[in-house]
């Protein structure tokens, strides 16, 4: 049976293709949206976007220039084109070669596909909401989702995420009584993004199902915050740590970069 590549995510970004492409080819700009702040991030960026197994292609078509990055050994590719009819918008598509099981059972959870979906949604937020700013990123990664009687998202005050459609505002309350809320700006089968009220921050939740990691599944929650001075960053870190500690999740100490 021949396995055909299939698009896993296609999204439109309110930025010209040249701007989007620069954020895929400049390591300093990639840091504003890709991955989390950790010691190995620079090496991860180098290997993912600039390694020997990466291919970069530029081609001209009737619709304009197409820029693409491909990873031939994996069969994955990332393509940036101008949005039809609007040169100030871009369309980004991530495509991957399905595995045998994924070809026969459409909808199987794909960790790589989910990672790229999350990354590109953060790229869109960085370019549309806070272009030109570096990011403070905080996360709790791959935590046990918890049993039905005590789910982690309920303990964290985020129980309503699963039922709120895109464009609708939601509100919750952390265990310490402080509110958290915003507008749902995207949703997939496994991911939800919330633009937090009164800030330029994006709260992103990824839930891997129990079939992927028995018995409960996994939860990863990431906060991407922009436009904060050093004191505001420190306060954001303090609130984040207190929030997840109250929900029973250990968090790693965050070292803030010096402000210039």
């Amino acid at each position: 049976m021949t396995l055909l590549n299939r698009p896993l995510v296609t999204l439109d970004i309110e930025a010209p293709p040249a701007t989007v492409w620069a954020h895929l080819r400049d390591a300093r700009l990639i840091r504003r949206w890709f991955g989390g702040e950790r010691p190995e991030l620079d090496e991860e960026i180098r290997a993912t976007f600039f390694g020997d197994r990466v291919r970069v292609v530029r081609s001209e078509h009737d619709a304009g220039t197409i820029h693409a990055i491909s990873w031939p050994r994996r069969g994955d590719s990332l393509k940036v084109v101008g949005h039809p009819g609007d040169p100030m918008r871009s369309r980004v598509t991530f495509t991957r070669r399905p595995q045998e099981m994924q070809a026969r059972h459409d909808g199987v959870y794909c960790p790589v596909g989910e990672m790229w979906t999350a990354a590109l949604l953060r790229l869109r937020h960085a370019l549309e909401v806070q272009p030109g700013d570096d990011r403070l990123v905080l996360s709790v990664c791959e935590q046990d989702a918890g049993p039905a009687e005590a789910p982690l998202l309920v303990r964290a005050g985020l129980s309503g995420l699963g039922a709120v459609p895109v464009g609708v505002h939601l509100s919750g309350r952390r265990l310490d009584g402080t509110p958290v809320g915003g507008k749902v700006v995207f949703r997939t089968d496994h991911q939800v993004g919330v633009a937090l009220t009164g800030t330029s921050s994006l709260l992103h939740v990824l839930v891997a199902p129990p079939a992927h990691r028995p018995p409960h599944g996994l939860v990863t929650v990431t906060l991407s915050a922009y436009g904060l001075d050093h004191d505001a960053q420190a306060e954001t870190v303090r609130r984040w740590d207190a929030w997840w500690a109250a929900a029973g999740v250990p968090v790693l100490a965050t070292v803030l970069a010096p402000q210039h």
Side-chain angles (χ1 to χ4, degrees), residues 50 55 81-82 108 127 130 186 220:
F50 306 102
R55 299 291 178 266
V81 300
V108 170
L127 287 173
Q130 202 73 16
F186 64 81
T220 295

Side-chain angles (χ1 to χ4, degrees), residues 16-98:
T19 300
V20 176
W21 185 243
H23 281 72
L24 296 171
R25 304 311 305 148
D26 183 325
R28 183 180 61 85
L29 299 180
I30 292 170
R31 264 185 160 272
R32 293 177 176 172
W33 60 273
F34 183 79
E37 187 58 61
R38 52 187 180 271
E40 64 272 21
L41 179 58
D42 288 334
E43 175 56 28
E44 183 180 350
I45 289 173
R46 189 205 65 77
T48 301
F49 293 92
F50 306 102
D52 295 338
R53 298 177 180 178
V54 180
R55 299 291 178 266
V56 177
V57 178
R58 180 181 184 274
S59 58
E60 298 291 340
H61 292 261
D62 292 341
T65 303
I66 297 177
H67 290 95
I69 303 171
S70 66
W71 298 266
R73 295 189 62 171
R74 298 203 311 256
D76 299 344
S77 65
L78 186 62
K79 181 173 68 175
V80 179
V81 300
H83 189 278
D86 188 347
M88 298 307 292
R89 299 177 68 196
S90 302
R91 180 159 290 171
V92 182
T93 302
F94 177 76
T95 301
R96 87 172 326 225
R97 182 172 57 213

Side-chain angles (χ1 to χ4, degrees), residues 101-126:
M101 287 295 291
Q102 291 171 331
R104 289 205 300 259
H105 303 283
D106 191 32
V108 170
Y109 183 83
C110 172
V112 173
E114 295 298 331
M115 183 276 288
W116 276 106
T117 298
L120 295 178
L121 290 167
R122 293 183 195 126
L123 170 63
R124 183 175 69 180
H125 182 83

